[in-house]
Amino acid sequence: MKNTALSNVHISLGAKMVPFAGYNMPVQYAGINAEHETVRKAVGVFDVSHMGEFILKGDNALALIQRVTSNDASKLYDGKVQYSCLPNEDGGIVDDLLVYRIDEKTYMLVVNASNIEKDWNWIAKYNTDGVDMKDISDRTSLLAVQGPKAADALQSLTDIDLASMEYYTFKKGTFAGVDNVIVSATGYTGAGGFEIYFDNANAEQIWDAIFKAGEPFGIKPIGLGARDTLRLEMGFCLYGNDIDDKTSPLEAGLGWVTKFSKEFTNSEALQQQKQAGVQQKLVGFEMIDRGIPRHDYPIVDAEGNTIGRVTSGTQSPSLQKAIGLGYVKNEFAKEGSEIFISIRDTKVKAKVVKPPFYK
């Protein structure tokens, strides 16, 4: 099992460590609910250094990205980030990812930890025009500093004007005395904040500086448990749960990052699917009766016929109610539709709602 550059720091802070995507990762420190609230109301720090980063460089870097991703990367400018996905050849998704345009010929792709090797091989397969590809995952650390007080907590560490940064943009500069740090106005919580990329060698220096600067703002370390409840309250997809090799981006509600203004892997088949209409859709739902939906629980109709399955579910700390995401047959996907989650062979009532759950 791999460690991040900060694993020993987490252990010293008393984190509960678990194996995740081949890494030894902190799942919680003080408890998921308390950590969740810290991010919603103040500021918290996640070590997400297990994520993968690839640099694509050269005259044909954009053409390769256009070929393998569903979104239109030609719309990017220097310092802009784009959410996208890598479609496979069978109508499913290899991974979802972020595309960073560093300059006209240089891009950084940020991929999910469990898919680093798979994604690398997939992109390399299409690299027929000599794009220089570098996998910098093992030497790159990534901290997500999230919450409404994130900009205030971090501003003393950099001359980048954090408050004025637009969502899904990034800047490169000096941060906590370290040069060549990428500060990105992105995150997976819906609470605002930044993701900070830097070399492993500087990890402890940057971690310590962030916690010192953030102390007056109530900054706390946050584990992966709260990361999951926070992203689910926003209705953000998690690869391996809500999207995978068999789910279409159109079924998953990712039509907004599937641009048919260009050709990409399997674009023709996906365009046909769009015209014909999908058979199932990923929907949000909240429980009306008592019960917590879990991954792979069947979703049934009033007569008990299976109409889909739960992909993610939890008790929402912010809303104090159980919520979930799942695929259902088209006729049950309308907002307000009554559905039932089969929990230990008992039908538990829920209704379809439009994410985000937390507004």
Side-chain angles (χ1 to χ4, degrees), residues 17 82 117 182 210 271:
M17 306 293 283
Q82 184 181 72
E117 191 180 348
I182 287 178
I210 286 172
Q271 192 153 20

Side-chain angles (χ1 to χ4, degrees), residues 152-165:
D152 292 338
L154 298 179
Q155 189 56 74
S156 66
L157 300 174
T158 182
D159 54 6
I160 297 167
D161 182 6
L162 300 177
S164 70
M165 280 182 74

Side-chain angles (χ1 to χ4, degrees), residues 22-288:
Y23 282 81
N24 187 24
M25 298 297 288
V27 70
Q28 61 179 42
Y29 301 82
I32 291 172
N33 287 358
E35 291 169 32
H36 182 108
E37 191 170 323
T38 293
V39 175
R40 282 274 176 257
K41 295 187 173 164
V43 57
V45 184
F46 304 80
D47 178 9
V48 281
S49 305
H50 60 319
M51 298 291 281
E53 294 87 14
F54 306 152
I55 301 292
L56 271 55
K57 200 168 188 170
D59 291 342
N60 298 309
L62 176 60
L64 175 58
I65 290 165
Q66 289 288 68
R67 193 172 172 186
V68 297
T69 66
S70 62
N71 208 339
D72 186 358
S74 72
K75 298 278 192 280
L76 289 169
Y77 48 85
D78 294 358
K80 181 67 180 161
V81 190
Q82 184 181 72
Y83 178 66
S84 194
C85 71
L86 300 169
N88 64 22
E89 284 154 359
D90 310 310
I93 299 170
V94 178
D95 201 5
D96 61 337
L97 73 162
L98 294 179
V99 180
Y100 283 67
R101 176 167 145 154
I102 291 165
D103 61 46
E104 195 183 352
K105 295 181 181 180
T106 314
Y107 295 80
M108 179 170 76
L109 308 185
V110 182
V111 303
N112 284 300
S114 52
N115 292 336
I116 293 171
E117 191 180 348
K118 178 175 85 159
D119 293 358
W120 176 267
N121 292 339
W122 182 261
I123 297 163
K125 181 172 92 164
Y126 289 95
N127 184 16
T128 51
D129 292 320
V131 175
D132 179 30
M133 290 174 59
K134 280 197 177 68
D135 180 356
I136 60 165
S137 310
D138 282 346
R139 59 182 173 88
T140 305
S141 288
L142 171 57
L143 295 178
V145 184
Q146 297 282 293
K149 296 182 180 173
D152 292 338
L154 298 179
Q155 189 56 74
S156 66
L157 300 174
T158 182
D159 54 6
I160 297 167
D161 182 6
L162 300 177
S164 70
M165 280 182 74
E166 287 176 28
Y167 192 45
Y168 268 65
T169 64
F170 71 95
K171 290 203 163 93
K172 219 180 211 190
T174 302
F175 184 90
V178 177
D179 291 334
N180 208 29
V181 173
I182 287 178
V183 178
S184 173
T186 49
Y188 195 44
T189 64
F194 304 89
E195 293 182 306
I196 301 161
Y197 299 82
F198 48 89
D199 197 278
N200 287 346
N202 304 117
E204 289 200 21
Q205 178 186 336
I206 287 177
W207 175 275
D208 289 344
I210 286 172
F211 276 88
K212 194 175 176 193
E215 199 177 341
F217 303 93
I219 202 164
K220 297 273 188 338
I222 314 292
L224 294 183
R227 190 167 190 246
D228 195 51
T229 55
L230 288 155
R231 70 94 194 166
L232 188 47
E233 286 184 348
M234 301 313 295
F236 294 154
C237 288
L238 173 63
Y239 193 88
N241 280 41
D242 314 301
I243 50 176
D244 57 35
D245 291 308
K246 294 185 176 66
T247 56
S248 144
L250 303 176
E251 294 171 340
L254 297 178
W256 62 283
V257 299
T258 309
K259 302 288 169 59
F260 297 113
S261 53
K262 59 164 200 167
E263 280 183 30
F264 57 86
T265 316
N266 207 42
S267 57
E268 205 174 307
L270 287 170
Q271 192 153 20
Q272 285 169 2
Q273 184 185 53
K274 186 182 182 179
Q275 282 157 359
V278 295
Q279 303 300 302
Q280 60 167 6
K281 282 184 182 163
L282 184 67
V283 298
F285 62 86
E286 57 184 43
M287 302 303 294
I288 293 168

